[in-house]
Amino acid sequence: MNYYKKEIETAPRHELEALQSFRLAQKIRKVYDRVEPYRKKMDEAGVKPEDIRTIADLSKLPFTTKQDLRDNYPYGMFAVPMEEVVRIHASSGTTGKQTVVGYTKNDIELWAECGARCIVGIGGTKQDYVHVSYGYGLFTGGLGMHYGAEKLGAVTIPASAGNSLRQLEMFRDFGSSILCMTPSYAISLIELMKENGLSKDDFNLKAGLFGAEPWTDEMRGEIEKGLGLKAYDIYGLSEILGPGVSCECIFQKGMHVCEDHFIPEIVDPDTFEPLPAGTQGELVFTCITKEALPLIRYRTRDIASLDYEKCECGRTLVRMKKPQGRTDDMLIIRGVNVFPSQIEAALMSFDSGATNYMIIADRVDNKDTLEIQIEMRSDMFGDNVRDVENYRRRARELITSAIGVGVNVKLIEPKTLARSEGKAKRVIDKRKL
């Protein structure tokens, strides 16, 4: 079994927790002294740095949210002077001000190491050709995996997203062996392959790191079948680091968190009380080594659970389960909590090729409605109208059963929905307009 940093990745739990406690106490002292918003929060909560000695004290600390970053836009949460910041990234800002993230030189090194761990964890080596098709720029995806691949010493192909036919050409001509991209972009490339008479046998792909958006195990199967590789889940968010906070290993049984840098918690999304291992709740992270933006108890809004059992790969790092949705992506339809991932799983349980769909929430006569638009494919049906209606009815029954809310399913013409090169837009909530 290969490891990037075996002494950390396979450390006994007590050693790892001792390291976390030491680093946490140091970090809390620094943010209290250097970051006025944190000092104010801690003072209001009646917590002093000397109260935080071990990770058992973590729950004494107040939470940080995306709104805190927006309220202190752009650099008010930074813990170092701007002279020490060497890189800025930022979120898209689609729901408000961009959330701005800063990195020191050491932060970039830490990020590269986490990325390299992810690549090694899925069987990558310096002999691989790592094809990075996440977007470059303020989005953290592209440069995050780029630096990870270079840190490992692999051949790095900074393809970015877009120019999809050229991407396929590069897969073949450049010998790409490991892909890094969003799962929705992988699906669109598989469509393009079929249209241009290409198959997985034309490429030398062995593995892929897919993240930046929710995706189901059914979609994983479609990607693995279409590209002829093993598809692995990678997790990150720009506020904490970017891609590389956690990643699956070859056993695909949860994503190992880089716990020497980030302490994960699961809390009840309503009461915010910590929940025990194995319980599903909101994922919270505390940064214990980052310098420029060391967020404390940052609420990610992702719904997940943690597994502390030793993995078959030998790693002792805690595994987070694939997020089942986000508290801010959750739709409340007629009083029922509905996650888009539930709809995708139900849909793909009977048609694994139904990867192009849109969820539309609306309000008609003061009543919430939910419509699922599914693109038809040329290979789905013949001329039999009854087959089309049976498909529509079956999709409606399965989705309604999965979420507990009646839905309308509408089959639409092929190529109606926009294709994504980055994060796919799956939900339109007209009730907010």
Side-chain angles (χ1 to χ4, degrees):
M1 189 68 62
N2 289 330
Y3 306 99
Y4 184 79
K5 189 173 274 190
K6 186 175 182 179
E7 68 276 15
I8 289 293
E9 295 175 78
T10 63
R13 173 59 40 186
H14 70 276
E15 288 184 11
L16 193 54
E17 290 182 351
L19 176 64
Q20 289 177 322
S21 294
F22 175 75
R23 288 178 170 177
L24 174 66
Q26 284 192 319
K27 190 58 64 180
I28 295 304
R29 166 54 69 186
K30 285 182 179 177
V31 298
Y32 185 85
D33 291 343
R34 299 180 182 182
V35 186
E36 194 274 335
Y38 273 128
R39 185 163 55 252
K40 183 178 178 182
K41 273 177 173 281
M42 288 177 63
D43 286 347
E44 289 174 352
V47 183
K48 297 297 181 184
E50 52 268 26
D51 298 328
I52 309 302
R53 295 184 175 88
T54 73
I55 57 173
D57 298 319
L58 198 57
S59 60
K60 298 176 183 178
L61 293 163
F63 293 100
T64 310
T65 67
K66 185 168 283 192
Q67 191 58 47
D68 290 314
L69 294 171
R70 289 176 177 149
D71 290 345
N72 295 281
Y73 174 90
Y75 307 136
M77 297 289 287
F78 285 15
V80 297
M82 290 304 295
E83 289 79 8
E84 295 180 29
V85 174
V86 299
R87 172 101 60 85
I88 292 289
H89 281 285
S91 70
S92 58
T94 53
T95 56
K97 279 278 191 185
Q98 291 188 2
T99 51
V100 178
V101 184
Y103 300 79
T104 65
K105 185 177 180 181
N106 286 338
D107 290 338
I108 295 294
E109 282 295 310
L110 148 68
W111 192 9
E113 180 191 303
C114 289
R117 282 192 205 179
C118 295
I119 296 169
V120 172
I122 65 165
T125 70
K126 63 175 58 179
Q127 280 72 48
D128 276 298
Y129 292 69
V130 180
H131 188 112
V132 183
S133 289
Y134 287 115
Y136 282 64
L138 287 177
F139 174 59
T140 53
L143 284 169
M145 294 317 301
H146 181 113
Y147 274 66
E150 287 190 347
K151 181 78 170 178
L152 178 60
V155 175
T156 308
I157 304 170
S160 193
N163 204 347
S164 298
L165 272 175
R166 180 64 61 83
Q167 298 267 0
L168 298 178
E169 185 179 283
M170 285 191 285
F171 289 177
R172 183 189 61 210
D173 297 348
F174 292 3
S176 306
S177 57
I178 294 178
L179 298 185
C180 304
M181 63 177 62
T182 62
S184 56
Y185 190 39
I187 290 292
S188 69
L189 289 178
I190 292 169
E191 272 189 352
L192 195 62
M193 286 166 57
K194 293 175 182 176
E195 293 170 5
N196 287 272
L198 295 169
S199 81
K200 60 186 180 183
D201 297 328
D202 293 311
F203 310 131
N204 188 42
L205 302 172
K206 73 174 189 181
L209 289 166
F210 300 96
E213 64 187 13
W215 56 306
T216 60
D217 283 334
E218 290 80 9
M219 187 177 284
R220 186 205 298 266
E222 283 299 294
I223 293 172
E224 290 186 339
K225 182 172 67 175
L227 292 174
L229 48 66
K230 291 290 288 182
Y232 297 94
D233 216 341
I234 186 171
Y235 177 87
L237 60 166
S238 59
E239 298 92 332
I240 298 301
L241 183 74
V245 173
S246 67
C247 186
E248 286 183 319
C249 66
I250 58 173
F251 291 96
Q252 296 178 310
K253 293 183 178 178
M255 291 176 276
H256 293 278
V257 178
C258 292
E259 282 190 275
D260 48 328
H261 302 299
F262 315 104
I263 303 175
E265 300 174 84
I266 299 293
V267 303
D268 186 300
D270 297 317
T271 67
F272 308 122
E273 289 298 314
L275 295 173
T279 307
Q280 188 168 278
E282 183 175 345
L283 182 63
V284 172
F285 277 109
T286 296
C287 305
I288 52 176
T289 56
K290 274 183 67 185
E291 295 177 339
L293 187 68
L295 295 182
I296 307 301
R297 300 197 84 198
Y298 183 75
R299 292 180 53 199
T300 67
R301 303 285 187 174
D302 287 320
I303 301 298
S305 62
L306 298 174
D307 182 355
Y308 286 88
E309 292 297 315
K310 183 177 179 180
C311 181
E312 292 174 65
C313 71
R315 289 177 178 82
T316 53
L317 299 174
V318 66
R319 285 169 287 161
M320 55 174 277
K321 299 298 184 184
K322 178 191 286 287
Q324 297 304 299
R326 290 177 56 83
T327 58
D328 51 0
D329 280 349
M330 183 181 74
L331 296 166
I332 301 177
I333 306 295
R334 300 193 287 280
V336 178
N337 296 343
V338 176
F339 290 101
S341 58
Q342 293 174 291
I343 294 173
E344 179 175 297
L347 178 58
M348 296 190 71
S349 68
F350 86 105
D351 179 9
S352 61
T355 51
N356 294 309
Y357 63 90
M358 183 66 71
I359 302 166
I360 301 176
D362 207 345
R363 185 166 286 124
V364 179
D365 297 328
N366 293 318
K367 182 181 179 182
D368 289 340
T369 64
L370 197 60
E371 178 177 276
I372 317 300
Q373 295 183 351
I374 306 170
E375 267 193 15
M376 297 176 65
R377 303 186 310 276
S378 57
D379 64 327
M380 282 170 64
F381 316 107
D383 298 325
N384 194 331
V385 175
R386 183 177 296 175
D387 287 346
V388 175
E389 177 56 27
N390 286 341
Y391 180 99
R392 190 187 71 80
R393 186 178 67 250
R394 180 65 173 148
R396 185 185 65 218
E397 290 172 351
L398 285 171
I399 294 170
T400 297
S401 175
I403 65 176
V405 174
V407 302
N408 176 49
V409 170
K410 181 179 180 181
L411 301 180
I412 59 178
E413 293 292 320
K415 302 292 186 181
T416 302
L417 300 174
R419 297 302 186 260
S420 173
E421 296 172 352
K423 296 186 181 184
K425 182 174 177 61
R426 300 290 196 191
V427 180
I428 298 174
D429 193 344
K430 295 182 177 180
R431 300 171 301 173
K432 300 175 183 176
L433 302 180

